[in-house]
Amino acid sequence: MVEELLKMQLKGDELHRRLGGGIPAGSIILIEGDRGTGKSIFVQRLLYGFLMNGYSASYVSSQYTTVEYIRQMGSLGYDIIPFLIRKKLVFVSLYPLLTGVSEKKKFLSRLLGEPRLWDSNVVIIDSFSSILSREQDVAAVRNFLMYLKKLVSLSKVVILTINPEEINRDVLFSLEEAASMLIRLNVKVFGGDLKNSATIVKYNNAKGVFQKIIPFRVEPRVGLIVEIAAVV
């Protein structure tokens, strides 16, 4: 039985507290951002936090092969090999399918046809917009979102990353409407340096006090670190 709030706490990392102490079960989280804003890093931190707190997870990647992903997570200090071995993490790479594909494919129906993906407590699709850019039938997207709504009613959490520039406005609107939590990532020049930040635009059913703007940086072998000062 999954509790009401899924924990993603890591030692020395305040992201869980800034997000209200965890993620409410039954959430669809949409993480938006242009290229280079840190979408993958952000969800990789969430994934590792969920795994370290005892949850199972599925991660669908449009960017990495399995070996590349293990190396990427290792470079952040997030060792996922034990979770892969124990089958607490299901990793699926869409990179071979997406590379060089110009014609539209029914990727959404193929995802729905993989039951092992949807058995986990947490399902992450990174990047969802890379899939939608090859299949932008609005009806197919809405059907997929209806499936996700039914899925999260079983106390699961689904996280989707998108680059808004890769999808049309109607699809973007449908995604934002369906999401119970909307986070926008951006990069700004602050004090002569580039600073990443996550802005919580929408957060339905929050169980605790959360921070509207969460500035963060990434360090090798350490991972995502929440900054103390806000980025303005």
Side-chain angles (χ1 to χ4, degrees), residues 129-140:
S129 55
S130 294
I131 298 172
L132 295 181
S133 65
R134 293 163 173 83
E135 178 179 15
Q136 292 206 37
D137 177 47
V138 176

Side-chain angles (χ1 to χ4, degrees), residues 71-91:
R71 289 174 178 167
Q72 163 63 17
M73 293 293 280
S75 72
L76 298 172
Y78 302 153
D79 182 11
I80 59 170
I81 293 177
F83 301 104
L84 289 169
I85 293 173
R86 299 201 307 268
K87 298 184 178 179
K88 295 290 287 184
L89 171 61
V90 175
F91 179 82

Side-chain angles (χ1 to χ4, degrees), residues 21-55:
I23 301 297
S27 295
I28 296 177
I29 303 174
L30 185 65
I31 300 178
E32 295 182 1
D34 296 335
R35 186 182 298 274
T37 53
K39 298 186 297 298
S40 292
I41 294 290
F42 200 87
V43 293
Q44 287 160 10
R45 160 59 183 89
L46 293 177
L47 169 69
Y48 191 65
F50 287 129
L51 292 172
M52 289 295 289
N53 282 271
Y55 304 105

Side-chain angles (χ1 to χ4, degrees), residues 50-123:
F50 287 129
L51 292 172
M52 289 295 289
N53 282 271
Y55 304 105
S56 59
S58 298
Y59 195 106
V60 179
S61 174
S62 64
Q63 180 180 359
Y64 299 102
T65 65
T66 302
V67 172
E68 289 172 342
Y69 192 70
I70 291 172
R71 289 174 178 167
Q72 163 63 17
M73 293 293 280
S75 72
L76 298 172
Y78 302 153
D79 182 11
I80 59 170
I81 293 177
F83 301 104
L84 289 169
I85 293 173
R86 299 201 307 268
K87 298 184 178 179
K88 295 290 287 184
L89 171 61
V90 175
F91 179 82
V92 176
S93 174
L94 294 182
Y95 180 74
L97 295 174
L98 295 174
T99 303
V101 175
S102 57
E103 70 274 14
K104 293 183 178 181
K105 300 286 187 180
K106 295 187 179 297
F107 286 106
L108 294 182
S109 60
R110 295 181 70 170
L111 284 177
L112 293 179
E114 292 288 341
R116 62 180 181 141
L117 291 178
W118 312 106
D119 288 338
S120 300
N121 302 128
V122 180
V123 180

Side-chain angles (χ1 to χ4, degrees), residues 10 13 17 26-27 54 57 80 115 126 142 155 182 194 201 205:
L10 295 177
D13 180 340
R17 186 176 67 81
S27 295
I80 59 170
D126 177 34
R142 287 176 178 162
S155 296
L182 173 59
L194 293 176
V201 178
N205 305 317

